[in-house]
Amino acid sequence: MPEHSGVTPLADPGLADYHCHPDYSIDARGTVEEFCEAALKRNLAEICFTTHYDANPLSESGVGFIRVDGKMLPVSPDNLGPYVDHVRRAADHYYPLGLSVKLGIEIGWFHGCEEIVEELLGRYKFDHILCGIHELDNICFCCSGSFQKSFSRYSAEEVVEAYFSQAISASRSGLFDCLAHLEYYLKYGLEYYGEGIRAAGRRHFEALFKALIESGTALEVNTAGIRHGLGEYYPGMAMTNDARRAGVNVGHLGSDAHRPDQVGFEFEAASALVPHPVWWHED
Ligand SMILES: [Zn+2]
Ligand SMILES: [Zn+2]
């Protein structure tokens, strides 16, 4: 049975999913075409693929990989080529069928990544560049196998301080269109530290919003928080509301789908939180 067989159409016909991982991401399954078919079935107008690009040479998880034709290759501008070509072919194929397909990428942030990112962005023209903050001091805080090791080094206050400092640096770099899943430390941090970590994070919102606005970097509404059992999106409603009031562009919905049946996940409820695509207002 195809993986999108359980997908139901959204009543809202004009939505876009700007955060999807096809099986070029080693933690995802489902081909670019299977994701596109799911997006059509879900009644989406647009899907943007954002495969992982984790190039931190000091990462304790080791160098990141990309899956190409079933083989695991280290991430590099060359090894990303088949992904770029595949998404572009899908864009040509699906446009006449009523689905806009965009080329994006989720670049894992690390201290000193700017040069590597600039090289990559000089090589390919992406429609959407996401920055994913997944590590603190080179250890993944959002992976089931390493979050305890990561958190054991810090208090809740230190986690949020280190996290927001990276988010501010990423914004100021001006390299990214959007910061992915803000407040991602809540994924395991709520259970590890308790509710206090939310308030600790809030003390850093203002400084981040300033950096986002000055650099023109947006935030996404990432619905994976519901899949992770948080009962909230990333960022949570408090941050989304504060960001809006401050003038930050909260621009896109992203399901962070790692399987075709997760495309447009939770968009029934989340669609009210983002501006609708521009073509809605054209006539
Ligand atoms: Zn991510
Ligand atoms: Zn992602």
Side-chain angles (χ1 to χ4, degrees), residues 19-21 50 52 106 130 134 180-181 184 220 222 256-258:
H19 191 152
C20 290
H21 295 273
T50 54
H52 290 293
E106 178 177 4
L130 276 177
H134 304 120
H181 48 58
Y184 210 29
E220 65 169 1
N222 183 306
D256 219 338
H258 282 66

Side-chain angles (χ1 to χ4, degrees), residues 50-226:
T50 54
T51 200
H52 290 293
Y53 195 91
D54 296 316
N56 182 1
L58 300 176
S59 174
E60 284 219 354
S61 317
V63 63
F65 285 89
I66 181 162
R67 191 192 285 117
V68 180
D69 293 332
K71 288 194 211 69
M72 308 271 267
L73 306 177
V75 293
S76 72
D78 279 349
N79 288 340
L80 200 66
Y83 163 76
V84 170
D85 293 343
H86 196 165
V87 173
R88 286 190 178 138
R89 279 198 310 277
D92 290 343
H93 178 77
Y94 282 96
Y95 189 75
L97 302 176
L99 180 70
S100 162
V101 177
K102 298 290 186 191
L103 174 67
I105 191 152
E106 178 177 4
I107 295 171
W109 174 264
F110 60 94
H111 182 65
C113 70
E114 292 89 334
E115 213 172 297
I116 290 173
V117 176
E118 275 168 24
E119 186 197 351
L120 185 67
L121 304 189
R123 177 85 174 263
Y124 301 113
K125 180 150 178 31
F126 295 98
D127 298 306
H128 192 60
I129 302 153
L130 276 177
C131 174
I133 299 167
H134 304 120
E135 296 185 338
L136 298 172
D137 277 338
N138 308 316
I139 300 176
C140 180
F141 63 82
C142 50
C143 305
S144 58
S146 59
F147 77 89
Q148 277 167 320
K149 183 175 180 189
S150 171
F151 289 158
S152 68
R153 302 175 167 206
Y154 310 102
S155 65
E157 286 72 21
E158 288 165 343
V159 164
V160 295
E161 188 166 336
Y163 178 86
F164 280 97
S165 143
Q166 293 188 95
I168 288 168
S169 298
S171 306
R172 285 192 185 141
S173 76
L175 291 168
F176 305 101
D177 293 312
C178 184
L179 300 192
H181 48 58
L182 247 290
E183 292 191 301
Y184 210 29
Y185 51 82
L186 296 176
K187 180 179 178 187
Y188 292 115
L190 268 181
E191 201 178 310
Y192 191 91
Y193 294 106
E195 280 289 326
I197 196 167
R198 279 190 206 273
R202 199 158 185 162
R203 287 194 276 280
H204 298 272
F205 286 3
E206 209 179 305
L208 174 62
F209 296 160
K210 190 168 175 287
L212 289 167
I213 291 165
E214 282 174 2
S215 60
T217 311
L219 294 182
E220 65 169 1
V221 173
N222 183 306
T223 56
I226 305 296

